């Protein structure tokens, strides 16, 4: 028994905000039985992952060790926790996926979309009920967050109790779902907790967090002032916010219309799973068209400025037959995630051009965060009273700050980033091993590695343009005419005002005329030389060094 | 005389924050004599302008009318006002460039870098001295901003007086340079002001602006706490901030070392033009290496996370022989411009990994804005007391809000965006004409239009990848073997696990085998068909529709 150990291994979400995937293990070293907590995605951007559809954690280590995997536990239905559930068939083949009802509903949809069996997803009841999975006993403790039925996990093994906070805030009036319950956590803490793996998102926010219910009077006051149509956006999964917005609209005599697939899907999931009750009746976009604008509120997707979501489409013109006009109001009841500013600002300006009044989360009137701020993190530490705090769900700076916070309270802590396998068995956390981790891209319909070079080549073409050289050689390795050049993404002419491709073709032709038989017979050497010439000449003509592809055809 | 008119035409900076270029005219319609105020740049980003070096306003209209251009006036030396001064040789050929000493110093450097005559830049003295330029008389009124010698312009014509605010804030203790002087503006307002063209950047900031001098005690307190090396970054042109930082460091017993070319150049410009006095002695990076860390402060470039600036290089490792270590402090004495968040956050996390404590502008302790907030804009309106307010230096939403603010005070106003020629002659502003405007890119060493399709092609390759098809046809239009395919930026294999290019080549070969003589003889038709097949097969195999280039070689 003493040779067994408890381990914690983040494969995603530690050292970044996004694509959460945390492994826990219990057993003899390298034979630990394993569970996986969360399996999320991150969204691509033009800077680092142009053209990519989704970013997922590299799960190779767990796939190799899948015979040791007992089960997968999803804490809540945000995409960075649930998004990749249908993307790793090897992992869900033998391991069941557990989640609470609302989360399970959405997980099943994801399984179906990926052609996997939705019955692999099991619905769990909240603590004090528990799920047995090998040597683990796991309980789902309801916590308040910005989506229904978020849960922290109580993970018991023969080696002791560990608490995985999940994403949480301390909210006693969350509008939808269970309030945060200190008493439950005190009970959980009683037998002693070895480690608390804790949400770090808002560790830099020094004020105490605010409750979802605080928004109601401000939103009501805002809607009372509105003259034309009101359109509001927030994350579709923030069902409590949708309810607050819809009820305020109803009280202001407005009918509610949902725009965007995610918006309808989330409300539906909320209603079907019984999480959401008393949501005002919604009308169809067709019916909305016939109502006076001042009697209408649209709840729309796209709070992050996503180009294809309802917000962005309304900013460009009509969507589902509805459009915004001068005197209407658009409310961002949401925070802009860092990196999405440009898209959000673009929409704001498009609405401004239409004469629409845009209201944002200015001064926190119309949005509160779903994560625990610094004082609330301390409250959680004190409630759970763990021997060690291991921060998760944060960039490196968040994890580091969170460890500092824990140490100020004389608790053990460690900055454990993706790939660091932590041994929790002793009195302090220690690094047991480093596992290779990284990112996997869903690119079109194919999974590719972030380091495969595919996306790197795309970025290079975007920065430098692309020149293709075609060269035909006859059976004696003699060039058949000059090589051909085609350029894409490059200025047609530069310094000498002659088309770039003509200059390239002439210079490449000259080189081939002088080239030795040996060079002409050697594809690699030819390619190297031709590339060098194309880059030098392009630099000289237009000041850019393009990517070059050389295609050599030899007539046999 | 009554047929003459006064016009205002923004060519850049109105409807965006960046690349300012404002034309004023006086005379008979379409024969107005013209002046240009500012000639700035905007910086590219991966989303919309990958690989581009600089973005400049499309100055075609003014270039066509350059015989009517009397002079160019630069208000201050920020890149969005001065950056394109060397980029339009046609404009500076016959029109002198006026600026105050510090700005002129930097404008001359830009002219020289572009191979233009730096003597075209003339130094002006501040108001009440004025410059004559055709029917215009222009005075430079010192205003406080985040760079030395920023100026508002008083523009007098026979048609009346107009005030161009330039970028400004109301700061009575700006640390470097002249305090904002209400009395001067009251004097200027006395004869009556037709129009105020006014900075709109901070129209959404509802609190009164704060003075540069307020930062000193907080920065001093911060440095007193620091144990290791201190590194601070801000815009290099914010000479007052550099002075505050350097003096606080000196009082804390630290020697100051400047890292980054812009940092040294700005301090030099400040000293040479007499704007900056009493700046502490700086030491070289070599000397800095031999000092104890606790006796050192580095002032470094790269507050916006720019990859090649000193900050980013220190975040990756050594720079000029210096490197950061655990226990050091890095201070962002700056605001992150929307869109630059990712780069700044990347650096913060890299420093966190080194154990460096990162301090940012959190709660405004270590940074104040250089632009007038909403209450300060009102102060300016009231001081200048113009008949009309025409907002500039803002996105559409800023301009619109600023017009609202003016109208609340019963002043005339209009949202005038780039290309809107405004007639200021009547009692209210009216649109005289719409001029075609846009953006010009400096791409490598070549100027290209934003709509030329060059950058669009690069973006498409980044999103979709690129497939090149090479086809050789003999003298009878018969294909010589199968076509060749090369792909760049695409997964090598997909659904059927055979290399994508092999599948493409086989399918294209089949098509050619079946193709009619007519098709084979027609390059355009062949290209269309081959592209269609490549896209369809790629979609099927890997879920992406790539950009396709078809190269058809016909052996004569």
């Amino acid at each position: 028994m003493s040779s067994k150990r408890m381990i914690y291994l983040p494969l995603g979400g530690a050292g970044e905000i996004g694509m959460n995937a945390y492994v826990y293990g219990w057993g003899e070293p390298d034979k630990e039985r394993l569970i996986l907590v969360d399996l999320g995605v991150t969204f691509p951007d033009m800077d680092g992952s142009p053209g990519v559809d989704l970013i997922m954690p590299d799960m190779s280590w767990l796939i190799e060790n899948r015979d040791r995997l007992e089960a997968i536990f999803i804490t809540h239905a945000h995409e960075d926790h649930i998004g990749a559930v249908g993307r790793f068939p090897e992992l869900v083949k033998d391991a069941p996926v557990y989640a609470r009802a609302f989360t399970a509903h959405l997980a099943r949809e994801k399984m179906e979309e990926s052609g996997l069996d939705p019955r692999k997803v099991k619905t769990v009841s909240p603590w004090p009920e528990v799920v047995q999975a090998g040597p683990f006993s796991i309980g789902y403790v309801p916590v308040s967050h910005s989506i229904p039925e978020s849960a922290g996990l109580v993970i018991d093994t023969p080696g002791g109790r560990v608490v995985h906070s999940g994403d949480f805030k301390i909210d006693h009036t969350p509008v939808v779902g269970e309030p945060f319950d200190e008493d439950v956590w005190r009970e959980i803490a009683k037998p002693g907790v070895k480690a608390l793996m804790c949400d770090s998102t808002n560790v830099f926010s020094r004020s105490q967090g605010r409750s979802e219910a605080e928004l109601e009077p401000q939103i009501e006051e805002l809607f009372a002032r509105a003259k034309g149509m009101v359109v509001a956006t927030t994350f579709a999964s923030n069902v409590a916010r949708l309810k607050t917005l819809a009820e305020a609209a109803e009280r202001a005599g407005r009918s509610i219309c949902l725009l965007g697939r995610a918006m309808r899907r989330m409300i539906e999931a909320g209603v079907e799973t019984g999480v959401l009750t008393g949501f005002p009746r919604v009308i169809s976009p067709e019916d909305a068209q016939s109502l006076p604008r001042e009697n209408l509120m649209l709840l729309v997707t796209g709070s992050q400025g996503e180009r294809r979501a309802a917000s962005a489409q309304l900013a460009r013109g009509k969507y589902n037959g509805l459009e915004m006009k001068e005197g209407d109001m658009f409310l961002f009841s949401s925070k802009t995630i860092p990196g999405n500013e440009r898209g959000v600002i673009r929409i704001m300006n498009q609405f401004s051009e239409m004469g629409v009044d845009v209201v944002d989360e200015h001064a926190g009137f119309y949005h509160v965060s779903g994560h625990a701020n610094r004082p609330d993190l301390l409250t959680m530490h004190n409630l759970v009273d763990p021997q060690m705090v291991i921060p998760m769900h944060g960039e490196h700076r968040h994890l580091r700050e969170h460890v500092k916070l824990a140490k100020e309270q004389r608790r053990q802590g460690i900055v454990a980033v993706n790939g660091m396998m932590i041994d929790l068995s002793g009195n302090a956390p220690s690094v047991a091993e480093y596992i290779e981790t990284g990112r996997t891209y869903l690119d079109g319909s194919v999974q590719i590695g972030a380091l495969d070079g595919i996306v790197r080549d795309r970025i290079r073409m975007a920065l430098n343009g692309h020149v293709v050289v075609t060269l035909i050689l006859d059976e004696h390795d003699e060039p058949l005419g000059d090589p051909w050049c085609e350029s894409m993404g490059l200025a047609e002419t530069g310094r000498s005002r002659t088309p770039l491709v003509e200059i390239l073709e002439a210079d490449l032709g000259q080189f081939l005329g002088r080239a030795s038989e040996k060079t002409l017979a050697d594809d690699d050497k030819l390619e190297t030389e031709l590339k060098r010439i194309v880059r030098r000449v392009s630099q000289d003509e237009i000041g850019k060094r393009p990517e070059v592809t050389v295609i050599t055809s030899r007539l046999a």
Side-chain angles (χ1 to χ4, degrees), chain A residues 154 197 242 391:
Chain A
V154 177
M197 318 299 161
L242 297 180

Side-chain angles (χ1 to χ4, degrees), chain A residues 168-171 198-211 335 368-381 402 405:
Chain A
F168 78 101
K169 66 184 290 191
I170 296 182
D171 193 337
C198 193
D199 182 358
S200 309
T201 317
N202 281 3
V203 66
F204 289 109
S205 301
R206 289 174 183 272
S207 59
Q208 201 178 307
R210 296 181 309 134
S211 169
K335 182 185 172 258
V368 295
S369 171
H371 295 274
N373 287 0
R374 192 184 186 93
D376 308 306
L377 292 173
L378 270 184
T379 302
M380 188 68 172
H381 293 187
H402 200 166
L405 182 69

Side-chain angles (χ1 to χ4, degrees), chain A residues 5-79:
Chain A
R5 65 179 186 180
M6 171 90 188
I7 57 165
Y8 162 72
L9 168 62
L11 293 174
E16 66 196 331
I17 295 184
M19 58 171 219
N20 295 276
Y22 306 94
V23 174
Y24 291 88
W26 167 257
E28 287 169 31
D30 299 328
K31 292 180 189 159
E32 296 92 353
R33 300 305 297 172
L34 307 172
I35 59 168
L36 173 65
V37 176
D38 290 336
L39 188 49
V41 297
T42 276
F43 295 99
D45 59 60
M46 192 68 189
D47 287 286
S49 43
V52 167
D53 292 275
L54 277 179
I55 302 174
M56 298 171 290
D58 178 353
M59 301 300 289
S60 310
W61 184 87
L62 194 60
I63 291 169
E64 278 163 29
N65 293 287
R66 64 183 174 278
D67 57 313
R68 292 159 54 194
L69 181 65
E70 299 283 356
I72 299 170
F73 298 86
I74 308 295
T75 59
H76 65 286
H78 276 148
E79 288 295 323

Side-chain angles (χ1 to χ4, degrees), chain A residues 301-538:
Chain A
T301 52
S303 65
Q304 299 303 310
E306 303 92 325
R307 288 191 87 95
R308 283 177 289 192
S311 295
Q313 299 212 39
L314 281 172
R316 291 195 295 265
K318 275 198 184 182
Y319 184 71
N320 284 0
L322 294 160
E323 64 185 320
M324 300 202 69
K325 291 201 172 137
E326 177 146 12
D328 289 345
M329 176 191 285
F330 191 95
L331 170 64
F332 282 92
S333 183
S334 54
K335 182 185 172 258
T336 303
I337 294 174
N340 296 340
E341 289 80 2
R342 280 201 198 102
V344 169
I345 288 174
R346 185 189 305 119
I347 289 182
M348 287 181 167
N349 282 311
Q350 286 167 326
F351 283 137
S352 178
E353 287 172 26
M354 294 177 179
V356 169
D357 291 311
V358 175
V359 178
D360 62 15
E361 52 129 8
H362 166 73
F365 277 8
Y366 311 116
H367 178 68
V368 295
S369 171
H371 295 274
N373 287 0
R374 192 184 186 93
D376 308 306
L377 292 173
L378 270 184
T379 302
M380 188 68 172
H381 293 187
N382 291 331
L383 280 171
V384 176
D385 194 25
Q387 206 176 335
M388 38 187 123
V389 172
I390 303 188
M392 58 173 188
H393 206 281
E395 299 163 10
H396 194 284
R397 62 197 174 112
H398 299 101
L399 307 185
R400 182 165 176 264
E401 185 71 15
H402 200 166
V403 166
K404 276 192 194 176
L405 182 69
K407 289 194 169 168
E408 281 168 17
Q409 307 290 312
R410 304 187 180 285
R411 293 187 203 281
Q412 299 287 341
I414 189 169
V415 175
V417 296
N418 294 341
M420 276 170 71
M421 184 191 285
I422 305 293
D423 187 342
L424 306 171
S425 309
N427 288 321
S430 65
V431 180
E433 205 178 327
Y434 290 92
I435 303 299
E436 207 166 299
T437 56
R439 296 178 156 209
T440 301
Y441 294 153
L442 178 69
D443 190 46
S445 53
V446 180
Q447 279 196 27
I448 60 177
L451 303 176
D452 287 359
I454 293 166
V455 173
R456 182 202 59 203
D457 283 349
R458 296 213 291 260
I459 293 174
R460 286 182 179 169
M461 287 191 290
L463 295 173
N464 309 323
H466 191 193
V467 169
V468 181
V469 179
T470 308
L471 172 63
I472 308 175
L473 297 160
D474 67 14
E475 39 280 279
H476 310 295
D477 294 335
E478 283 294 318
L480 233 56
D482 275 352
W484 284 34
C485 292
E486 296 265 341
S487 78
M488 194 162 184
L490 291 168
E492 282 183 18
T493 57
R495 203 175 50 83
S496 64
R497 293 173 193 254
T498 308
L500 174 65
V501 291
E502 284 182 21
I503 298 176
L504 287 172
E505 285 167 1
D507 284 19
L508 293 173
Q510 272 189 24
F511 163 78
L512 291 171
R514 288 191 317 261
S516 67
E517 275 180 36
K518 209 175 140 193
T519 301
L520 290 171
D522 182 340
D523 277 9
D524 289 346
K525 192 155 185 174
L526 259 182
E527 182 171 337
T528 307
E529 289 298 326
L530 296 180
K531 281 187 177 178
R532 198 203 317 269
I533 294 167
V534 170
R535 293 210 171 112
R536 181 175 47 71
V537 173
S538 300

Side-chain angles (χ1 to χ4, degrees), chain A residues 230-244:
Chain A
V230 171
V231 182
T233 185
T234 189
F235 275 111
S237 55
N238 196 339
V239 172
R241 185 69 47 78
L242 297 180
K243 193 177 182 196
T244 302

Side-chain angles (χ1 to χ4, degrees), chain A residues 77-123:
Chain A
H78 276 148
E79 288 295 323
D80 58 333
H81 295 260
I82 198 178
V85 152
R87 301 289 171 188
F88 295 99
E90 307 97 318
L91 292 181
V92 296
K93 192 165 167 283
D94 297 314
V97 176
Y98 292 100
R100 297 182 69 196
F102 178 82
T103 312
H105 180 101
L106 293 163
R108 285 185 195 108
E109 286 187 4
K110 288 195 182 293
M111 295 286 279
E112 274 183 341
E113 280 165 20
S114 301
L116 300 172
D117 184 359
R119 288 169 303 177
K120 292 193 180 290
V121 179
K122 316 285 181 198
T123 304

